[in-house]
Amino acid sequence: MPELPEVETVRQGLIKGILDKRISEVLIRREGLRYPFPEDLPTIAGHTVINIRRRAKYLLMDLDDGRVLLSHLGMSGRYTLFSSSEANAAAQPLLGTVNGGVPVSRFGERTGYGGKHDHLEFVFADGSRAIYTDPRRFGIIDLFANIEEPVHPLLESLGPEPFDAWNASMLARKLHRRKTSIKIAILDQKTVVGVGNIYACEALHRSGISPRTLAGSLVRKNGKPTLRLERLVGHVKDILNEAIASGGSTLNDFANVDGELGYFAHHFAVYGREDEPCLKEGCGGTVERITQSNRSTFLCPRCQR
Ligand SMILES: [Zn+2]
């Protein structure tokens, strides 16, 4: 599942690929994904993408008429970009059919699945295209006026972004007297957005904090953060920034080859490393896997307390 760094990487790739382009047509190949597509989706044709923002794991494309096209990659969504020459090189109609009429894209070899999961195809005035592919169809597409953004049901209750202005005092206020574990608390999008399962495990490991620690115990009685909580906030920022930086460089390599926007493989210190040695210098512990709220947590019981 794409986490915040992957979504930020996709945003940066979309900025390079489609910013300031005018949409001439959108090909819609099914009725929706997790929710039905908005009925007015075809009306984005004729409008220009003037900005591409990210809020938590939502991509927000600002159009020149004051509307916002929201997309969420769900479990398996991705965008693939094709230049006009690549699109023209297909040298045949770009909309084909299989299985008695199910429309597929002609980019199936590049987007995968024979093109059967290329649900949306954005055609730009310069002939380039952006294809949204999502085999598991948990993605979300929505379209709304930008003045509605603060009260949009998917966006209104999101917590702060885990970057610049976010700090340990803000987190302490959210965690004060919370009896839940710190791992579950930082996965809660009302506490802070975009710290998914992988990065929560990694940040807790780097901080030496057990994921089972009660969240409230990392806050002093007067509501101020403990040193351990200060450290955790620093490591959350570092780990997300490192992942974004490595995603960006991978993306550049990809783009040189075929303009594809993809995810990237990380080398994690604990995530997915059950029964392997802890990578923290001098620790000598062994990574364990436990379950918290039905999700896997990886930790080193020796250096995480
Ligand atoms: Zn360890």
Side-chain angles (χ1 to χ4, degrees), residues 23-57:
I23 301 162
S24 58
E25 192 180 4
V26 52
L27 306 177
I28 303 167
R29 299 209 171 86
R30 59 178 306 110
E31 293 183 357
L33 300 168
R34 195 188 313 187
Y35 309 117
F37 289 137
E39 278 178 21
D40 53 352
L41 187 55
T43 66
I44 64 173
H47 294 285
T48 300
V49 179
I50 58 170
N51 197 9
I52 303 169
R53 297 173 290 127
R54 181 190 56 71
R55 180 73 176 102
K57 295 202 289 181

Side-chain angles (χ1 to χ4, degrees), residues 33-35 72-77 132 134-140:
L33 300 168
R34 195 188 313 187
Y35 309 117
H72 188 286
L73 303 175
M75 306 285 284
S76 57
Y132 179 85
D134 186 1
R136 297 184 66 180
R137 304 203 297 265
F138 280 101
I140 301 170

Side-chain angles (χ1 to χ4, degrees), residues 205 270 277-280 282-287 299-304:
H205 177 252
V270 278
C278 174
L279 294 178
K280 208 173 269 186
C283 171
T286 301
V287 175
L299 74 151
C300 171
R302 184 170 290 187
C303 64
Q304 290 180 256

